[in-house]
Amino acid sequence: MIDRIGSAARVRTHDDDHSPEAQSPRRAPARADAFAGAAIAAHIDGGLAEFVRNAAAAQPSRKDDVLHIGMNRSAAKNEIAELAPHAQVTALAHGRDGVVTVAGATYDLKKDDGSEAFAAVLRARGLSSEQADAVMKVIGETGTTGKDEIAHLALLWTAGERGEAIPGRIVLSGHSSGDAIWDGGGDGEISFADVQKLARVMPRAAAQIEDIHISACSTGGQAALAENREAWVEAFPNLKTLWAYDGSAPHEGKSHLADWARATKGDADRLALTDKRATEHVGVWDRVSGYRDASEPLAVMRTKQNGADARFDGWMSGARRAAGSDDPALVADYRTYRSLSQRSDLPKAERDAFERKADQLLRLRYFEGAVRRELDRNHGADVAKGFQKLGLPAPRLASLSFRDALVAIDKFERECAARGDSYHADVAKAREILNDIRSLDAARIQVRWCRH
């Protein structure tokens, strides 16, 4: 069976929006940071564990229920259908670009008045003003396209903060490069840190979470899951298991979600890693056995690295042109660098270098998809002004291959060099953007643009 949390959700409130607190002006968020610190400390407080035990004893358990946070809209329906025979599934609702609708009322979380009104909803659902302010601080720090998902998650977890049972298992699903999930249609992105920060300021809800499945590529790996696990366990102190992927994840979960739902049901505190699942890039962690996957020996990965290194300059210079986002050589090189960036047997400096190369190749894979369209939409006008100030015809970024973009950038640079330092501010701005395009800079090219 499936519940849906969102505008049609029925959530018990403190007289809904008619409570005196909901009608009064929101208090200044001076104590938000103080509350967040207290929430983190509460994770190791015995009173919290007692609270959770008492809450569980007072009502039917929902520890086997699953909250599905499906960022990839096109896959969510089939993933939920796979889980439904094995668990009660709650599907987290989505807004768009930071706008949420609750009980017919719309809140734009990008604006002060919308945020203040939404904070009043949180207070009406049982949070203190200090805790509501702390939640709003987390939402404020979340990227624009993920604010609505984090807000809906906070709404669901208000029940847990009141002592009610909430789903004890979570599926995080979407496209990923290791530390965030996003939608293939460009409708949203949340980082794992966003979820963890919310858990820290809603500790009674977080204490009910025991199992997490990250149905997304490149979310496992020896070092990645080891480092991420520390953050997950700190945020969810009763976490028993994690399931992720050291490499590509199956589209729409395949049978993996059903296997996970069966394996984590009840009081299970460990995950078996079968030979079949190991070959499908599954990485698992539990408190009993630690982390396991089918990582190749470092010597084998070094051989793959040599091949990737031999091709890397060709990819970045345009000398090699990818045959689409699924070009076998480009995908293999991307996976090699991503896997190397996640190994615990390499020093961090080396892993960071591999991560940068993986990020660059990911953006190259999708350059002729959404990347160039988004570059044109977000920066096309500024680039055009720079070209025009130099007396050059402005290229349309949305129509350029990466190789053609490099040709245009080189032409721009030659004209700049001919003028020395005497060029317009519009030229300087365009030059900065173009240099970031040349290097496929992660700060300029958002990861959620990496789609078809």
Side-chain angles (χ1 to χ4, degrees):
M1 297 182 66
I2 302 169
D3 296 329
R4 187 167 296 278
I5 296 298
S7 59
R10 295 178 58 198
V11 179
R12 191 170 61 199
T13 70
H14 292 207
D15 294 326
D16 292 320
D17 291 344
H18 304 293
S19 67
E21 189 172 24
Q23 298 297 317
S24 63
R26 189 169 75 100
R27 298 182 190 177
R31 295 183 59 191
D33 287 335
F35 178 82
I40 294 171
H43 282 177
I44 58 174
D45 179 62
L48 180 58
E50 182 179 357
F51 172 91
V52 174
R53 285 194 298 270
N54 291 342
Q59 58 187 300
S61 173
R62 297 190 67 189
K63 67 186 299 181
D64 286 337
D65 288 6
V66 173
L67 171 62
H68 183 268
I69 304 176
M71 297 302 292
N72 194 0
R73 313 290 200 277
S74 64
K77 181 178 179 181
N78 288 339
E79 290 176 356
I80 291 169
E82 183 182 335
L83 288 163
H86 310 285
Q88 179 78 22
V89 181
T90 296
L92 193 75
H94 302 275
R96 185 171 179 87
D97 290 343
V99 178
V100 298
T101 301
V102 182
T106 298
Y107 306 88
D108 188 340
L109 302 174
K110 303 185 299 298
K111 299 179 179 179
D112 289 343
D113 57 350
S115 294
E116 290 173 2
F118 187 77
V121 174
L122 295 175
R123 294 196 298 273
R125 296 191 178 202
L127 300 191
S128 67
S129 289
E130 291 82 3
Q131 190 175 15
D133 287 338
V135 170
M136 294 311 301
K137 185 174 187 294
V138 173
I139 294 172
E141 293 173 349
T142 300
T144 298
T145 63
K147 291 182 187 298
D148 42 285
E149 283 83 10
I150 294 299
H152 280 302
L153 182 57
L155 285 175
L156 173 63
W157 281 355
T158 57
E161 292 299 301
R162 296 194 301 267
E164 299 174 23
I166 61 171
R169 298 188 287 179
I170 294 176
V171 170
L172 290 157
S173 175
H175 296 283
S176 181
S177 60
D179 57 6
I181 51 174
W182 66 89
D183 173 51
D187 290 338
E189 175 190 354
I190 56 173
S191 72
F192 299 147
D194 295 330
V195 177
Q196 293 158 3
K197 285 190 291 186
L198 185 66
R200 293 185 191 106
V201 299
M202 304 188 79
R204 290 176 173 81
Q208 297 188 46
I209 308 303
E210 296 186 351
D211 305 281
I212 295 176
H213 181 117
I214 308 176
S215 185
C217 300
S218 303
T219 50
Q222 300 166 357
L225 198 54
E227 293 169 356
N228 290 342
R229 187 193 71 241
E230 294 176 5
W232 287 117
V233 173
E234 188 272 329
F236 299 96
N238 293 320
L239 191 68
K240 294 180 178 178
T241 71
L242 274 168
W243 177 308
Y245 292 87
D246 179 23
S248 60
H251 182 59
E252 297 180 350
K254 300 298 182 185
S255 59
H256 290 212
L257 288 171
D259 282 357
W260 170 80
R262 287 189 291 264
T264 56
K265 195 167 185 177
D267 294 323
D269 58 1
R270 66 194 70 192
L271 287 172
L273 181 63
T274 65
D275 291 341
K276 182 176 186 299
R277 290 296 182 239
T279 63
E280 294 169 334
H281 313 295
V282 173
V284 298
W285 170 87
D286 60 55
R287 289 185 181 271
V288 177
S289 304
Y291 177 73
R292 286 145 290 141
D293 66 15
S295 296
E296 294 181 292
L298 183 57
V300 173
M301 290 304 300
R302 288 296 193 192
T303 299
K304 291 185 176 183
Q305 178 201 337
N306 290 338
D309 287 345
R311 289 181 289 271
F312 184 78
D313 287 345
W315 294 126
M316 294 299 295
S317 69
R320 294 183 66 93
R321 183 168 182 179
S325 62
D326 294 325
D327 181 285
L330 181 55
V331 171
D333 291 346
Y334 164 71
R335 294 287 180 211
T336 293
Y337 288 131
R338 187 67 73 195
S339 294
L340 285 166
S341 76
Q342 296 175 341
R343 293 189 71 98
S344 58
D345 50 1
L346 291 176
K348 188 176 187 304
E350 193 172 5
R351 288 193 280 122
D352 288 347
F354 289 135
E355 182 176 14
R356 174 175 167 77
K357 286 185 173 183
D359 286 344
Q360 290 173 302
L361 294 189
L362 176 65
R363 284 152 177 80
L364 178 60
R365 285 180 60 189
Y366 294 96
F367 190 90
E368 294 179 25
V371 168
R372 63 182 180 180
R373 298 195 302 270
E374 293 289 351
L375 282 170
D376 192 60
R377 186 168 70 89
N378 288 273
H379 303 296
D382 288 329
V383 168
K385 286 180 183 178
F387 273 83
Q388 290 162 3
K389 289 294 182 184
L390 293 177
L392 298 173
R396 183 169 178 265
L397 296 178
S399 65
L400 297 182
S401 67
F402 185 61
R403 177 186 293 175
D404 290 341
L406 294 179
V407 170
I409 293 169
D410 287 341
K411 185 175 182 180
F412 184 91
E413 284 294 329
R414 287 194 298 271
E415 190 63 29
C416 285
R419 299 182 182 220
D421 294 329
S422 59
Y423 47 77
H424 195 275
D426 286 344
V427 175
K429 186 171 185 178
R431 192 179 193 188
E432 180 182 351
I433 295 168
L434 293 170
N435 284 336
D436 288 345
I437 293 174
R438 181 195 295 278
S439 64
L440 296 168
D441 186 80
R444 178 75 62 182
I445 302 174
Q446 299 179 40
V447 72
R448 64 188 178 87
W449 298 354
C450 295
R451 62 183 194 274
H452 295 290

